[in-house]
Amino acid sequence: MLKKSLAIMSISAAFFAQAQDVSVIRNTVDVYSGSVNVGSAKFNAMAGSNGALGGDANSLLTNPAGLGVAISGEISGTLSITNNKNTSSYLGSSYGYKINKGDLGNVGAVMTFQLMSESAWKFINIGINYSNQSIEDYVETPGNSNWIYDFPNGGSSSFGRHAYDRYGYVSKTSFGVGANYNNNLYLGAGLNFLNASVDQSDTAIFNSLSNGGSEYFSKQNTPYSERGNGFSASLGVIGKLSPNFRIGAALETPTFWNIDRSYNFYNDAIYGDDYASESRKLTSPFKATVSAAFIASKSFALNVDYTLGLTKPKYKVYGPAETELNNFFNDNYKNLSELKIGAEYRIKQFRLRGGYAYTSSPFDALTVSRYTDSGDNKVDQSYNNMILSDRNALSFGIGYDFRSFYIDASYQNITSKYNNPLLYGVVDNNYEAGYYSPNRLISSNAYVVSDVKNVKNNFFLTFGWKF
């Protein structure tokens, strides 16, 4: 099968990838470099903050040393219902689209082994955790009747609409061991195996000025499909400063991804319109997490986690595409910064939980050339939230402990607002990066930029058994 590298123009500090589809940049950060943080209802209610608390299998998502805190075995399963809504606004018009998904979000188990000896080592525990997250996403942007394209072979059409459409999931399966030393020091290590499935398209519709008919165009090298698998490892420690205070620290290596991708290409000098495949290797950022917990009594606990990315995404170079992607991330990517705060209050067998999480924007300000509202002029404009932005998450939950069995429920609201670049695609003697229909192509040397508001409303229900 034809193996072909994507052609990309050079990237400066002001202008990012010219021929590369924007979704490749977005998915590198959002899918392959992000954290898979769908845990149990308790974990999600506390905004995923448990790095110094531990005690269950979800410790493998933050700090594997938390496995050593457990004093009894446990197994749980979590059902997730997610609602993802994007509203894309452009020139006073908005298109909104909701996606509802139901799935098995998390399964976790801890097996405890109490050491019957005079040693200070009290427990050696084994944990297994599976986390699954839908990445399905659809952003449709209204058109602009003033943006008119004159085709070289005759006829003119106005911009009707644009859509980024993504299907798929990313999952993380973790195995770990945790140890309890004298009930004051907890150590842990984990191995993580990740899988991703991504099906992505980038399409536009233009409306003929002569007969009003709509013509469908696809961006060069789209639609594409990617199937990836990756591996990472983690180490962690938790220490008690006093009966009421704990601190924790964890390191997670980069995820080393192998990605097989296939894509459609158009207007090739030899093959015309055809289908190709290639493989890529991606190294996601190295991450460090520090945590602190305050346990006032058996009734109240508070935990704070702070995660910092220590490196940037990096592709193994096979050709110009990977080189230019790496240049973009070197110049414009900001290291991950995430703060999570979670609390639990117990009233006899009832559990009340709440949390807040903030994730910083992954990119520096980016400047692009965009079309004005009139459609016949271009201006250079800088955006602080291009492609992706910072995210805020609020959550709360309740639970009831039947001693051997328990049931937990939680709700999570995640919001972000970002600027959505689209419709750039140059076709000249050096590049074939435009938008193509079966009969014609569109070459655009500037972007249309819409404003997107993303709101996720997630619900989780966990059933667990202690033994």
Side-chain angles (χ1 to χ4, degrees):
M1 186 168 290
L2 175 66
K3 190 173 180 68
K4 183 182 178 199
S5 295
L6 305 181
I8 302 188
M9 293 180 66
S10 61
I11 305 170
S12 69
F15 295 90
F16 63 96
Q18 304 296 328
Q20 181 66 68
D21 184 55
V22 169
S23 64
V24 173
I25 296 173
R26 184 183 183 201
N27 291 342
T28 300
V29 176
D30 193 32
V31 177
Y32 297 111
S33 300
S35 299
V36 185
N37 273 334
V38 176
S40 67
K42 173 185 176 181
F43 178 87
N44 298 326
M46 296 175 66
S49 178
N50 73 347
L53 287 176
D56 59 30
N58 285 165
S59 298
L60 288 165
L61 294 173
T62 50
N63 184 347
L67 295 174
V69 177
I71 58 175
S72 64
E74 178 182 335
I75 185 169
S76 69
T78 301
L79 300 175
S80 66
I81 300 174
T82 60
N83 173 275
N84 181 30
K85 181 179 180 181
N86 285 310
T87 302
S88 183
S89 301
Y90 178 56
L91 299 182
S93 298
S94 298
Y95 285 166
Y97 194 86
K98 290 183 179 180
I99 298 171
N100 297 306
K101 299 284 288 186
D103 212 337
L104 179 65
N106 185 264
V107 177
V110 174
M111 292 166 282
T112 60
F113 300 92
Q114 189 171 5
L115 303 180
M116 301 297 183
S117 68
E118 298 300 323
S119 169
W121 294 101
K122 304 300 182 182
F123 283 89
I124 298 291
N125 302 331
I126 297 174
I128 302 172
N129 191 80
Y130 169 78
S131 185
N132 181 61
Q133 181 176 315
S134 170
I135 58 169
E136 187 170 342
D137 197 61
Y138 182 77
V139 182
E140 183 171 341
T141 298
N144 180 2
S145 59
N146 294 323
W147 201 103
I148 296 173
Y149 189 82
D150 298 318
F151 293 97
N153 59 350
S156 301
S157 293
S158 63
F159 172 43
R161 71 102 169 116
H162 178 274
Y164 289 115
D165 194 4
R166 184 177 71 190
Y167 290 87
Y169 69 88
V170 58
S171 67
K172 184 177 185 178
T173 304
S174 302
F175 303 89
V177 59
N180 174 341
Y181 182 82
N182 205 31
N183 295 317
N184 284 311
L185 180 66
Y186 308 91
L187 305 173
L191 298 177
N192 310 299
F193 302 90
L194 293 92
N195 287 278
S197 174
V198 182
D199 292 287
Q200 179 80 52
S201 66
D202 177 345
T203 60
I205 288 178
F206 278 74
N207 301 316
S208 171
L209 298 186
S210 61
N211 58 26
S214 297
E215 193 169 4
Y216 185 94
F217 293 80
S218 290
K219 178 74 186 288
Q220 178 70 283
N221 300 309
T222 71
Y224 64 84
S225 295
E226 294 182 339
R227 302 295 180 262
N229 60 82
F231 166 83
S232 70
S234 55
L235 294 171
V237 60
I238 297 173
K240 282 186 178 180
L241 300 181
S242 73
N244 302 108
F245 289 95
R246 299 179 192 172
I247 58 172
L251 294 174
E252 183 174 351
T253 70
T255 300
F256 301 98
W257 286 98
N258 293 303
I259 304 169
D260 294 322
R261 70 192 315 264
S262 58
Y263 55 93
N264 288 14
F265 64 87
Y266 311 95
N267 204 42
D268 185 85
I270 299 174
Y271 299 98
D273 296 352
D274 209 337
Y275 170 92
S277 64
E278 64 185 9
S279 295
R280 281 180 172 167
K281 293 183 183 295
L282 170 67
T283 302
S284 74
F286 195 107
K287 299 173 185 177
T289 300
V290 293
S291 308
F294 172 64
I295 305 170
S297 64
K298 291 184 177 180
S299 297
F300 178 76
L302 174 70
N303 189 90
V304 179
D305 292 341
Y306 176 72
T307 300
L308 179 66
L310 304 179
T311 59
K312 300 180 179 184
K314 185 176 182 179
Y315 283 92
K316 182 176 180 179
V317 175
Y318 293 104
E322 292 82 16
T323 297
E324 298 303 297
L325 283 168
N326 289 340
N327 288 342
F328 170 78
F329 290 118
N330 285 334
D331 293 341
N332 302 297
Y333 181 82
K334 292 192 299 186
N335 288 3
L336 168 75
S337 179
E338 186 174 22
L339 176 68
K340 298 184 289 187
I341 304 171
E344 179 183 66
Y345 184 71
R346 299 182 178 184
I347 308 172
K348 294 183 178 180
Q349 291 171 267
F350 284 98
R351 310 287 187 259
L352 300 175
R353 305 177 180 110
Y356 169 76
Y358 171 80
T359 304
S360 64
S361 175
F363 299 119
D364 292 320
L366 293 169
T367 299
V368 299
S369 180
R370 71 164 181 88
Y371 290 104
T372 61
D373 295 352
S374 62
D376 54 2
N377 292 306
K378 292 174 288 186
V379 295
D380 292 345
Q381 184 168 341
S382 179
Y383 296 90
N384 291 322
N385 294 305
M386 183 67 81
I387 306 176
L388 291 168
S389 71
D390 57 350
R391 297 192 303 273
N392 291 275
L394 285 170
S395 55
F396 63 86
I398 58 174
Y400 190 86
D401 190 344
F402 296 91
R403 302 194 186 281
S404 293
F405 296 90
Y406 62 88
I407 182 171
D408 296 320
S410 64
Y411 164 76
Q412 186 181 63
N413 174 265
I414 306 172
T415 59
S416 65
K417 295 180 180 180
Y418 64 91
N419 304 114
N420 179 41
L422 51 106
L423 216 59
Y424 186 105
V426 172
V427 179
D428 58 24
N429 294 329
N430 298 313
Y431 306 101
E432 284 285 349
Y435 282 76
Y436 297 80
S437 76
N439 302 309
R440 299 194 285 187
L441 64 87
I442 288 175
S443 178
S444 169
N445 60 2
Y447 286 93
V448 168
V449 180
S450 70
D451 298 315
V452 176
K453 180 179 181 180
N454 176 253
V455 179
K456 294 182 174 70
N457 292 294
N458 303 325
F459 301 87
F460 305 94
L461 183 64
T462 297
F463 299 91
W465 174 49
K466 297 178 181 179
F467 54 91

